[in-house]
């Protein structure tokens, strides 16, 4: 017990840091897309999982990925698959947390998802619901490569992070208005579409991996005090030339000169 | 000679600009298809209980009759297009006669129609109808005409959606919604050998992409990314890029997702002139 104390303290420190960072970001004119990305990254750091993704339901109840700790295409596919089957879909449908350990169990419950998860080496999955009052808006998926389960404290932390995401997406004053909530969800979903398109533009323009293209976009947005979603939209509609972003990425050592 | 896609798109939009969504708008759209897409007839049918059941709008009476033939006999490109959620492109019915649709082919050929092109019409990935294009002369739809047909199908979707929401088909609509999950996870895959086929390559990044449930589903991460790549490569607006992607998928009989992955993995590049090019001859795309 004593032996675990220093690492527990370190983690508590990191948890506090993460929430302080998130609370800073939540002030004023915050950037939802960037914040949700940060948040899924925090999940990976704090919960000892290898991948985290946040899925939101559209007005038809179809799940879409809004943020992920990894930007590579095949990582995104694991989350995207949840549209058809998987722990996040079950979690969203039931509103209850879903935990699965071991590949046999995964394969029995969701064969197609298990196939994708196996390719990426995922052994455990946890899905935590994102709730707003009596409504389930989506789910956070946490995938790990070892068979260890998250303990109660981990799950409580995951639930807290999901709640921050919910607050970030849905403005508190509008939480009782279903139409407004839907509009805000839709905006988060649309931002993701445009972000993926912008990643495509940047990756094609400089022959970069999607992950790097994302970093280029994020770096430019942050350094110019702009929202990631706005920068992505400008790139996609060619109001902002990709060369400007690439030049900035080289100047800030995101890309080699 | 087909008009350029920009002209086709503008004209299709113009055709229904001042017409309220509904039957009249679909008729106008069908007439515009005949004027712009190098076809001689067009008809739009609506889906009821999972299959096309009646002709909603058309360019002329003989197109309506041919469209309806398919429901009467339970066979035809339009039925298949809705069932597979993929376009069914038949440049020459004589080649298909006695095979896929013996009764329909005979009726069409008797009318002097050789080419039939059926595109599923979807609202939020759910099939709600089909656009049938008929042509007297045999031969494939040119690329811009095909892309134009995709635009026309999208425009028709608005009128069909209006029909759905106005109550005429609501009962059916609700039931289909309940079954949507099943449709997505099983039938569309099971019915379509190309979709159900195991992925032999097993390469990362290709995980599960054949299980999309809807071959023309564009609401996917890889499709968004590939759209971005095309925005850059073809120097076009996002809408145009999506259209090019869908048109290529239709022309090659593959899902939009498959084409998207080929673009992302640099196995395929679409050229500015509309013809496809390959970046790696060693890895074929067809």
């Amino acid at each position: 017990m004593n032996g675990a104390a220093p690492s527990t303290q370190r983690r508590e420190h990191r948890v506090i840091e993460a929430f302080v960072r998130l609370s800073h970001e939540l002030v004023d004119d915050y950037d939802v897309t960037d914040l949700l990305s940060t948040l899924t990254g925090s999940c990976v750091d704090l919960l000892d999982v290898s991948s985290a993704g946040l899925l939101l339901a559209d007005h038809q109840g179809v799940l879409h990925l809004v943020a992920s700790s990894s930007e590579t295409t095949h990582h995104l596919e694991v989350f995207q698959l949840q549209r058809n089957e998987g722990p996040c879909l079950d979690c969203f449908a039931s509103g209850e947390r879903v935990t699965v350990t071991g590949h046999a169990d995964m394969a029995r419950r969701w064969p197609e998802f298990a196939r994708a998860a196996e390719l990426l080496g995922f052994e455990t999955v946890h899905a935590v619901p994102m709730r707003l009052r009596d409504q389930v808006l989506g789910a956070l998926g946490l995938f790990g490569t070892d068979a260890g389960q998250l303990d109660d404290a981990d799950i409580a932390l995951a639930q807290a992070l999901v709640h921050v995401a919910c607050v970030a997406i849905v403005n508190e004053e509008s939480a009782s208005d279903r139409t407004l909530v839907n509009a805000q969800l839709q905006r988060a979903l649309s931002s993701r579409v445009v972000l993926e398109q912008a990643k495509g533009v940047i990756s094609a323009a400089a022959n970069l991996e999607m992950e790097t293209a994302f970093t280029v976009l994020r770096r430019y947005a942050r350094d110019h005090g702009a929202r990631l979603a706005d920068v992505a939209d400008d790139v996609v509609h060619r109001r902002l030339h990709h060369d400007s972003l690439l030049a900035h990425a080289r100047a800030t050592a995101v890309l080699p000169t | 000679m087909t008009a350029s896609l920009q002209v086709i798109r503008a004209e299709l939009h113009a055709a229904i600009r001042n017409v309220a969504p509904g039957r009249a708008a679909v008729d106008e759209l069908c007439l515009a298809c005949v004027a712009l897409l190098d076809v001689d007839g067009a008809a739009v049918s609506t889906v009821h209980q999972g299959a096309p059941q009646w002709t909603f709008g058309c360019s002329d009476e003989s197109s309506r009759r041919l469209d309806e033939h398919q429901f009467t006999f339970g066979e035809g490109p339009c039925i298949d297009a809705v069932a597979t959620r993929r376009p069914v492109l038949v440049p020459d019915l004589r080649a298909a006669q006695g095979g896929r649709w013996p009764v329909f082919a005979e009726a069409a050929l008797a009318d002097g129609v050789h080419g039939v092109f059926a595109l599923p019409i979807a609202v939020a990935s759910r099939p709600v109808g089909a656009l049938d294009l008929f042509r007297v002369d045999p031969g494939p739809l040119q690329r811009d005409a095909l892309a134009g047909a995709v635009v026309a199908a999208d425009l028709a979707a608005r009128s069909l959606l209006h029909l759905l929401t106005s109550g005429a088909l609501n009962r059916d609509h609700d039931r289909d919604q309940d079954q949507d999950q099943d449709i997505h996870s099983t039938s569309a895959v099971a019915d379509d050998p190309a979709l159900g086929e195991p992925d032999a390559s097993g390469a990362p990044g290709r995980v599960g992409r054949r299980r999309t449930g809807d071959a023309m589903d564009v609401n996917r991460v890889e499709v968004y990314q590939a759209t971005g790549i095309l925005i850059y490569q073809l120097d076009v607006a996002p809408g145009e890029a999506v259209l090019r992607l869908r048109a290529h998928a239709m022309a090659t009989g593959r899902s939009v997702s498959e084409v998207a992955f080929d673009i992302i993995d640099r196995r395929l590049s679409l050229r500015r002139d509309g013809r496809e090019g390959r970046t790696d001859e060693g890895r074929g795309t067809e």
Side-chain angles (χ1 to χ4, degrees):
Chain A
M1 196 117 159
N2 283 340
S7 94
T8 306
Q9 276 175 2
R10 268 205 304 279
R11 186 168 105 155
E12 273 175 17
H13 189 70
R14 274 159 43 216
V15 169
I16 292 164
E17 272 180 349
F19 277 93
V20 167
R21 195 167 58 234
L22 287 166
S23 66
H24 277 308
E25 286 199 35
L26 267 171
V27 180
D28 300 332
D29 199 22
Y30 62 91
D31 183 335
V32 178
T33 317
D34 194 355
L35 185 143
L36 295 178
S37 242
T38 304
L39 192 135
T40 49
S42 296
C43 290
V44 168
D45 288 345
L46 300 172
L47 298 169
D48 198 24
V49 292
S50 37
S51 186
L54 184 68
L55 296 142
L56 283 185
D58 65 16
H59 59 286
Q60 300 230 343
V62 177
L63 290 176
H64 301 267
L65 182 75
V66 283
S68 167
S69 59
S70 166
E71 294 292 326
T72 60
T73 314
H74 61 279
H75 257 91
L76 302 185
E77 176 65 24
V78 178
F79 293 105
Q80 183 162 264
L81 256 174
Q82 308 279 324
R83 200 175 293 179
N84 300 326
E85 63 165 47
C88 297
L89 181 63
D90 287 6
C91 171
F92 168 68
S94 66
E96 303 294 329
R97 175 159 58 91
V98 172
T99 298
V100 173
T101 307
H103 202 75
D105 203 13
M106 255 190 253
R108 188 177 52 76
R109 294 173 70 172
W110 315 287
E112 200 59 31
F113 166 76
R115 204 162 69 93
E118 189 176 24
L119 271 173
L120 294 170
F122 296 146
E123 287 288 324
T124 55
V125 295
H126 297 267
V128 181
M130 180 164 142
R131 293 167 178 282
L132 181 71
R133 303 186 180 178
D134 57 348
Q135 190 187 348
V136 185
L137 302 183
L140 172 72
L142 303 166
F143 302 153
T145 46
D146 61 36
Q149 284 205 37
L150 300 184
D151 62 22
D152 288 348
D154 292 329
I155 293 296
L157 177 54
Q159 195 67 68
L161 288 164
V162 173
H163 190 68
V164 173
C166 186
V167 171
I169 297 163
V170 180
N171 186 306
E172 199 60 47
E173 291 99 76
S174 62
S176 57
D177 184 333
R178 182 70 207 245
T179 314
L180 263 179
V181 168
N182 280 346
Q184 285 165 342
L185 290 176
Q186 195 53 50
R187 199 165 57 226
L189 292 172
S190 305
S191 299
R192 184 72 207 186
V193 173
V194 176
L195 178 62
E196 293 299 339
Q197 291 179 343
K199 280 163 62 181
V201 172
I202 297 298
S203 83
N207 201 20
L208 302 173
E209 295 294 327
M210 290 298 168
E211 186 95 44
T212 315
F214 175 78
T215 311
V216 168
L217 284 156
R218 173 135 95 168
R219 168 55 61 189
Y220 187 92
R222 286 184 171 177
D223 291 352
H224 290 79
R227 293 187 199 207
L228 183 55
D230 292 341
V231 169
D233 199 55
D234 285 347
V235 167
V236 161
H237 289 98
R238 296 173 291 169
R239 289 184 294 263
L240 175 58
H241 201 272
H242 45 79
D243 280 344
S244 307
L245 280 84
L246 293 169
H248 184 75
R250 288 188 196 99
T252 52
V254 169
L255 294 178
T257 44
Chain B
M1 180 66 199
T2 315
S4 80
L5 181 56
Q6 269 115 334
V7 172
I8 292 172
R9 184 209 306 277
E11 293 286 321
L12 286 170
H13 277 270
I16 57 165
R17 184 162 298 139
N18 298 316
V19 191
R23 166 80 188 275
V26 172
D27 282 347
E28 288 299 327
L29 205 54
C30 288
L31 286 167
C33 285
V34 171
L36 296 161
L37 304 181
D38 192 24
V39 293
D40 301 293
V44 167
S45 52
T46 59
V47 166
H48 183 70
Q49 294 182 338
Q53 296 286 345
W54 73 82
T55 305
F56 185 53
C58 58
S59 60
D60 60 295
E61 273 312 304
S62 68
S63 295
R64 170 182 292 278
R65 207 176 52 246
L66 266 187
D67 200 40
E68 283 173 349
H69 256 305
Q70 305 184 61
F71 322 136
T72 312
F73 296 109
E75 62 165 50
C78 150
I79 309 259
D80 290 4
V82 170
T84 59
R85 301 187 179 202
R86 285 184 161 192
V88 176
L89 310 175
V90 189
D92 190 351
L93 271 173
R94 284 173 300 190
Q97 193 182 13
R100 289 160 82 179
W101 319 286
V103 182
F104 168 75
E106 195 184 320
L109 290 170
D111 270 12
V113 168
H114 288 90
V116 181
F117 312 95
L119 289 87
I121 299 172
V123 173
S125 333
R126 211 175 60 88
V128 294
L131 170 66
D132 269 0
L133 301 171
F134 303 108
R135 194 167 57 196
V136 171
D137 294 331
L141 271 190
Q142 295 307 307
R143 175 165 291 274
D144 281 340
L146 182 58
V150 176
V151 175
D154 277 348
L155 291 174
R158 292 184 199 172
S159 286
L160 294 180
L161 181 65
H162 181 75
L163 182 72
L164 288 169
T165 52
S166 67
L169 295 173
N170 262 350
R171 219 160 26 90
D172 185 40
H173 179 71
D174 291 341
R175 191 171 49 243
D176 277 3
Q177 290 256 313
D178 293 339
Q179 292 171 350
D180 242 4
Q181 207 50 56
D182 290 331
I183 290 167
H184 273 271
S185 57
T186 55
S187 62
V189 172
D191 292 348
D192 190 333
L195 278 174
E197 184 179 284
D199 189 348
S201 75
R206 306 174 64 127
V207 180
R209 75 182 204 271
R210 289 170 192 275
R211 292 278 180 171
T212 59
D214 182 349
M216 286 297 131
D217 185 4
V218 294
N219 294 312
R220 299 181 59 80
V221 168
E222 67 274 16
V223 176
Y224 305 146
Q225 292 177 351
T227 300
I229 293 171
L230 293 183
I231 290 170
Y232 170 77
Q233 289 177 344
L234 306 177
D235 194 25
V236 294
E240 183 84 21
V242 177
L243 212 59
R244 288 286 177 194
L245 197 56
R246 287 176 64 187
H248 183 84
M250 289 190 176
T252 54
R254 300 156 74 227
S255 75
V256 176
S257 170
E258 286 173 309
V259 174
F261 270 117
D262 278 353
I263 289 170
I264 292 168
D265 296 342
R266 313 288 197 263
R267 285 189 297 270
L268 171 70
S269 70
L270 305 184
R271 295 197 189 126
R272 288 187 192 198
D273 62 10
R275 292 205 320 271
E276 85 179 64
R278 284 184 200 163
T279 51
D280 181 351
E281 289 295 331
R283 289 186 287 181
T285 57
E286 265 83 41

